[in-house]
Amino acid sequence: MSRDSRYLESVLHHDIPLTREMGLKVLAWHEQQLSLHLPLEPNVNHKSTMFGGSLYCGAVLAGWGWLHLRLKEEGIDDGHIVIQEGQISYPLPVTDDATAICPPPEAAVWKKFLAMYQRYGRARLTLNTRIVNAGSDENAVTFSGQYVLHR
């Protein structure tokens, strides 16, 4: 596990205690893509699949964590990240442990976001996360979240 991954996991477990109860782990921060591990057992529902609320949390946290690490890389540590809006779809059941993946937005979108924040002290960024079953690359969950960074 990289230093950035360990750092983010400690931030999540400290600042958002629910992540400890969920068993959430940071798998990787590589080439500006964040991957989180969501175990089935603490997030199981009555159908022996992963609870939709846990999947929503995992998707939101993948975007939140992505933004947290990218801002750290940019040397920006004076902002607060909040989720403003989220849209989720559950095309497949999650029947095992899962991985939440948040890739980077387009470079131009990121540059505009940074410029807005530096100018106004507030900016909005849409991040798209997907969740897959362990051993699969098929989307079990797709999520689009609008995050706000403000001073």
Side-chain angles (χ1 to χ4, degrees):
M1 184 191 277
S2 74
R3 195 164 30 116
D4 285 331
S5 296
R6 276 195 306 275
Y7 160 77
L8 180 61
E9 195 171 293
S10 71
V11 167
L12 288 170
H13 288 182
H14 180 269
D15 293 356
I16 306 170
L18 174 66
T19 60
R20 284 194 309 266
E21 299 303 317
M22 291 174 69
L24 183 139
K25 300 273 183 226
V26 177
L27 284 177
W29 172 246
H30 181 68
E31 294 181 359
Q32 296 181 354
Q33 177 169 288
L34 179 64
S35 300
L36 303 178
H37 174 77
L38 298 168
L40 177 62
E41 192 181 318
N43 298 293
V44 74
N45 67 17
H46 63 291
K47 298 275 193 191
S48 300
T49 61
M50 199 169 293
F51 174 56
S54 293
L55 291 164
Y56 187 88
C57 287
V60 168
L61 290 162
W64 188 95
W66 185 93
L67 187 49
H68 190 87
L69 287 176
R70 273 302 279 126
L71 291 168
K72 183 176 182 270
E73 288 181 351
E74 295 282 347
I76 297 171
D77 61 3
D78 63 346
H80 302 280
I81 304 164
V82 293
I83 180 88
Q84 183 181 49
E85 190 176 315
Q87 278 196 298
I88 196 160
S89 177
Y90 304 91
L92 293 172
V94 174
T95 55
D96 201 341
D97 290 1
T99 304
I101 302 157
C102 185
E106 291 179 22
V109 170
W110 178 248
K111 279 182 73 168
K112 182 179 176 190
F113 170 79
L114 286 178
M116 292 294 284
Y117 182 68
Q118 283 153 355
R119 176 176 286 175
Y120 301 110
R122 183 180 176 88
R124 224 177 248 104
L125 182 68
T126 298
L127 293 170
N128 297 304
T129 297
R130 62 196 197 95
I131 298 178
V132 297
N133 277 288
S136 173
D137 197 43
E138 242 184 314
N139 291 343
V141 174
T142 57
F143 175 78
S144 179
Q146 191 167 73
Y147 296 82
V148 175
L149 177 67
H150 64 88
R151 283 198 185 101

